[in-house]
Each structure stands twice: as structure tokens, then as C-alpha cells.
Amino acid sequence: MSSSLTCTKLTILTITGVTIQIIGLLLFVYGFFPVKPALSGVSGAESFRAPTCTPVHNQTDSDLPPHNLKSLYEVKDTVQVDQNVSRHLGDELSRDDWDLMVLHYLGLDHVGHIGGRNSILMAPKLLEMDKVVNMIHTSVIADQENGQGQTLLVVVSDHGMTYNGNHGGSSFEETDSLALFIGLRNHVSDYALYTLNTVYQLLRLLQAQLPGLSCENSLCDGFSDDQGCRINKCSGNIENTICCLYLKATMLHSSWRLKDVSSRSYNREDYSGIVAAYYEFLKTASEWLSRRVTDKPVNLLAFGVAAMMLSCLILLSLIFFFYKEVYNTKMQQCFDSKYSMHTWSLDETFVLGVILILVVSMGSSSMVEEEQYIWHFVTSTLNMLLLRKMMQSLLVEASRSLFRLYKGNKKIAFQMCSIFVLIISGRTLRGWHQGGVNWTYLPDISKWLENAGSNHVKSIQLVSGLLMISLCLFALSLSGSRRKISLVVGFSFLMFGLLVLQHIQKYQDNIFASSNYNATLLVQIIFAGLGIATIGTFVAYPWLMPICVSKIYSSHHSFMSGSVPIEIQNEYPLLELKNSLYLIGWAYLFCWCLLQLLLQQPINALPMLLLFVQILASLIYASNGGVHHKQWVEIAALYYLGMAGHFALGNSNTLATIDVAGAFIGMSSYSTLLSGILMFIITYASPSFFLLSIVMYISVDTSYLVIPQKADSEHLLKNMLAFPCLVPLGVNSIILTAYTIVLLLMRNHLFVWSVFSPKYLYVCATTLCVYIGVSFVAATVIYSYLVLAVRKRMQGFSSIDTR
């Protein structure tokens, strides 16, 4: 039977759709989000001096070589990083060779990230900062009394922090910051005019936005103070207006400075005119910069949205055509009316309805902030619908005959037990973290355990780790393989699991563990070992596992002998592929479990165990479904469970819940790339977990084995990979395209930057997660199949030669 949608065509169209989606996404992100021109990262004299005709270079910059400068900024402690600042403070305060001193204390931020607002290190650190402020204040008072100048002390913080040590959102805790100006019996005008020199930095930012803006040239063209005073109205294009306003303010300021001190003090009218001129410049410049941020390149945004819509249409069309092809094939081979493929069940309708619910909810800022409630509702409702379906099947079997009830009761019982496990574990995950934005203060299981003490949390973490390792070994035993290679793989992962438990026992409750050399070395050994073991299993196992003789299919795999033609069994390594995918998928899951035990917050160890239990329950449900269940429904259910687990681990649609501290575990030196990868692994632990489980799902699923007599290798690969790859891509494509349109419509909304934009960044990151997960699934299946097919063909040639 020839198919119009071949495996090659399906692959090309899928890659084309994904490529178009990536292009559209990049164009939209580039056009929608403002790109701030980067000023120099080194603060020099130009940061606080007015532009002049001749550039002034800072002669006091450090002459240290780059590698020494880099070492001064090494991201991890809470003590030395501030002592490096304070140890020079007394000496600098006694000198008079500086006009501006900036002290950047990072220790308070480090303390917050490590232990949150209520960390045991917080009070000593705040006391240390009080002493620093007191030292500066005392020195300034002494200098003023000795007639050595006037100083303004400014104490500022750039953000607040949540109770668990993160920031970046719009909650009160995160925006609770400080701006304290301490003056010492001086005229307000002196300080006001001094602070107006931030004007110079704003001019530099304007010059970065407008390369043609050069107000310094106007200063050198012979303008006099008298001409500046006669400037009444500034008009023309933006460059001329900005330069005109700047020149007016600076010339009035220069004229005022030329007067003696007594004239300055009593001439309030001149001072008011200078302030008004600077204010007009600042107001015009800031308004233009704000408009520059909100002005969107319409053509670029429209092209990006159109590309994503086209990609979504391609992926959904592929799913539709493959759905028709697969179930038409099943209809031709099934004569029992109860398996009619044209009758939509309630669970199928609900799976599609979930997408509609998500799309509609995206238009509400409150629903975006509290999205976790949608996913928990979706997964629990779907599980109840599947339970209802199992009960109906049980009643149908009972109504036909007691013999058929007894015969099918075992599989239905396994499926029902799996659903109960999903429901119970899902409800526990729902209550673990009170996520979102508006209700985080409400009690939940994690807060209760943390209040009970770190010892209780550590005990739960160790027990969860032991249970997770035990379940992984139990899952390996279910494969039925007793071959040496399988035992070697299992033993190697067991060793790394024990190392993870050792790290938890020895270093987990140490707040300085991230900077401990032995702890860092142990984590690096675990990282390297897990990588070698996982990649080695993927590459080597298809080459090392024995090739079975086709005659044993009928005795050990009745489902294969009944649904797969004997010609297909003889030619293609289906049984070997299922065994290979099971072990490789098991290695993926075991590796991911151990990584999360290392990287996640200790309180999230039990949720990770429950997520693994959900995966095993889903696999048991699928393995007992027979050849007539709907594969796309189960793949979609795995996707939904992964998203529900994402929020169950404490994540939300605000940037404040990203676990920054975990991204530096095992890092001996700072690396933006490696820290970013670890942060991605932590944040998208659950979606990636369920996507990787699809490899094992394919190994236990039997629905794709309903194939025609003349099927070839392309047809087999297409049946195995089409739904597992297309369903996640299709669902994510709908969500991505819909939310892109929502974000475009909400571009002038009050919460566009605090709610809708962070959510869009999460959608983009989820898209990347889906790409990576689907790529792993496709690469694993294709590679294993090709290797096993080559080996089976070579074995066939050897058998012919022997004869």
C-alpha cells in the first residue's frame, strides 16, 4: 500500500514548518522588544563630565592585565566580595583627589539569593552595611566642618527580593528598594545642580540611539553664552531640537558659574531658569526615548506573525493528514465495530478543548499570572475522563460475557490503577507550591516543611532520592532484559546515583557549598559521568544488543505476531528496536532524575519523584492500551502533564521565580553559557522530563504496529515518530502563534512589560524546550533503527552464506 505522505516528505515538511516558525519568531522578537544600545561597560570620566571639543581620557583607569581584572569580579561568597570594597574605603575618604566615589556592595544580593530575605546571614550583612554608611557619614561631617568641601551621600538599591531569594518581577517584595539622599547643612541648589550632571549620561544614550547627534560640534562652533541666553524656542528635527535644548541649558549653567558665590546665592531667578532649561531637555529626551521603545516596525512584526501562522498551518495539516492515514489503515484491518475510528470520544474532544481554553485565557493578565490553575485543572479533568472511559470499557466487557470480562480485566485494572496514581500524585503536586503572583503568601506543603526545619527537608530529599533510584532500577527490571550490557548500564547509573546522595548528605545543607572545592569537584565528576554514561548508552547499545530470530516473536510477543505481517517481522528489527528504545529512554530518564536531584532546590526533590511516578504510570497505561487506542491523545496528555509539573515545581510566568542559585552548582569559574544551560535545565525540568519519556513511550506503545502488508522501513519510522514529534510541535505552535498575536494586541496595555512580555519569554523558552525534546526523540529512534536494520541485514546475509 503506497502512501502519499511518505516519511521523507513528512520529514521535509516538518523541518520546513519549524524553520519558518523560527524565522518568524526571531523577526517578531527583534521587532517587538526594545534593543537598548550598549554603552561602554567601563565607567570613566565621560560618565560624569560634560561633552567637550577634545575628548578627555580617564588617566586613572587600572593598568591591570585583563585576566587579573576578570579575577576581581569572580558572580560567589558573601564576605570577601564586600571586604574588597571596604578595605580601601578609609584611605580613599581621607584623600581629596576625587569628585565622585561609587561603592558597589554585592554581598547583600548574594545573601538574598542564597537564603532569601530571612536568611541567617541577612542581619549581620545589614549591620555591616550600617557601619559602612556610618563611616562615610562621619567622614563627610568632619570634612565639611574643616571646610574641605561639600558632599552628597546617596544610598540606593536596584531591586528588592522575594522570600525565596529571587527578583525580577513586579511584586512588592521585589520592588521594595531604597533611594536615600543625605545632605549636610548645604544649599539645596548646590545638590540640585550637581545631580543635573546625569544629563550628560542621558546625552550619551541619545547619541547611541542617534548616531548623527553631535552636540559637541555645536559647542565648538563659536556659540557664546549670550547666544545661549537668547535661545527661546527649539524646533526642527529631533537632532536639532535635542542639541538646541542641551546648548541652552549648558550655556545658562556656564554663565551662572562665572558669577561669584554671593551672586549665585541670592539670584534665585537665574537658578530657576537653569533648572527649567535642564528639565525641558530631560523631558524632551526621555519622551523621545520612551516613544523609541514603544514604536514598533510594523512590517517586521507582520511578517513574523504571518510566518508563525504559516508554520502552524503546516504542522497542523501534517497532523490531520497523518491522522486520516493511520486510522483509515486501522479501519481496513479491524472488523469490530467498537473500534470505529470516526467516533470521537470525550477525552479526544477535551484534549482539543484544552488548546481553546489556553488560547482564550491568554488575553487576561490575571489568567497569565495564575496560569498554573489552568494546567492543574486540565490534567486532573483529563485523568477523570480517562477513568470514566475505563469504567465504561469494563461495563461493556461485562455485558458481553464473563469470559471476555476475565480476559480483559487485567489490562483494564492496570490502566485504572495508573489513572488513580496520576490523580493522587497530581493533587499532591498541586498543593506543593502556591505558585503564581497574587496568592504566593497562602500556605502550602513546601512552606510547611521549610518552617519545620532544614533537617526535615533534607530527610525528605534523601528519601526521595532513594525512592527515585529504586524506581529507576525497578523500571529497568521491567524490560525483562538480563543481558550483561543492560546490567552494566544499570550498575553505572546506580553508582552515580549514590554519588548524588553523598553530595546531598554532605554538602546540601551547607550555604557555602557552591564555593567549596570538594563539593564542586564531586558535582563535576557526576556531570561528566552522567554525560558519558547516557551518550555511551545511546551510541553503543544498538550495536551491542543481540539480534533476535523472528520465530520467537510468536511465542513471546503475541501482539506483534497478530498485528505485524510475518514478512515485516523477518525483514525489520521491530523487537530489537523496542528493547533498544526502552533502555535508552530509561537512561535518559535516570540521568534527568539525578541531574534534578543535584540542581533543584531541596524542597523540590519529592515533586520530582512524583513527576517520575506520573511518567511510569502513563507508560503503564499506554502499554496496556492495545493497538486501537489513540496515540495522539496520550502524547498530548504527556505534554499537558509536563506543563502542569512545570508550575508544580514553583515556576510561574514572572522572572522572579527562576532559580538563579542552582545555575552555579558545580561551577569553578563563571561562564555565562554554562550557567544559562543549567538555569534552563532547572526551569524546564518537568517539560523536558516528559518529552524525554516519549522515547520509552514509543518502546511500550503498540498502536503504530497496525501496518499494511507491503510496508517499508520509511512507513515504520513514520508510524513511530509522526505523532510523538508532530503533536508537541503542533500544540506548542498553536500556543506560540496565539500568544504572539495576543502580545501584539496588548502592546499598549498597562501590564505589557510586567505580565505579557515575561510570559512571552517563557513561551519562547518552552518552544526551544520542545525543539530540543523532539530532536532527541527523533534522533534516538532513527539512529537506533538504522543501526539495528543494518545489523539484521548483515545477519541475514551471514545466514544465507552459512547455508
Side-chain angles (χ1 to χ4, degrees), residues 321-339:
F321 285 120
F322 184 72
Y323 176 89
K324 287 183 59 178
E325 176 185 322
V326 168
Y327 292 115
N328 284 339
T329 302
K330 287 188 177 182
M331 283 297 296
Q332 293 175 4
Q333 299 190 11
C334 298
F335 302 99
D336 195 335
S337 60
K338 73 170 184 174
Y339 295 125

Side-chain angles (χ1 to χ4, degrees), residues 361-409:
S361 67
M362 289 175 181
S364 167
S365 61
S366 298
M367 294 304 295
V368 170
E369 290 178 329
E370 310 298 335
E371 185 182 349
Q372 72 277 0
Y373 295 120
I374 298 176
W375 287 110
H376 290 307
F377 164 77
V378 162
T379 53
S380 59
T381 304
L382 181 58
N383 288 330
M384 293 302 295
L385 291 177
L386 293 176
L387 182 62
R388 172 181 176 272
K389 185 178 181 179
M390 290 299 100
M391 295 296 293
Q392 288 178 333
S393 299
L394 196 63
L395 293 175
V396 169
E397 296 294 340
S399 64
R400 295 190 174 185
S401 69
L402 292 177
F403 175 75
R404 295 189 65 169
L405 174 63
Y406 174 78
K407 184 178 179 181
N409 190 36

Side-chain angles (χ1 to χ4, degrees), residues 135-162:
M135 179 193 298
I136 299 173
H137 191 253
T138 304
S139 175
V140 166
I141 291 176
D143 290 344
Q144 180 173 310
E145 290 176 348
N146 296 331
Q148 295 181 359
Q150 303 167 348
T151 304
L152 173 66
L153 174 60
V154 183
V155 183
V156 294
S157 61
D158 57 339
H159 58 77
M161 188 161 289
T162 62

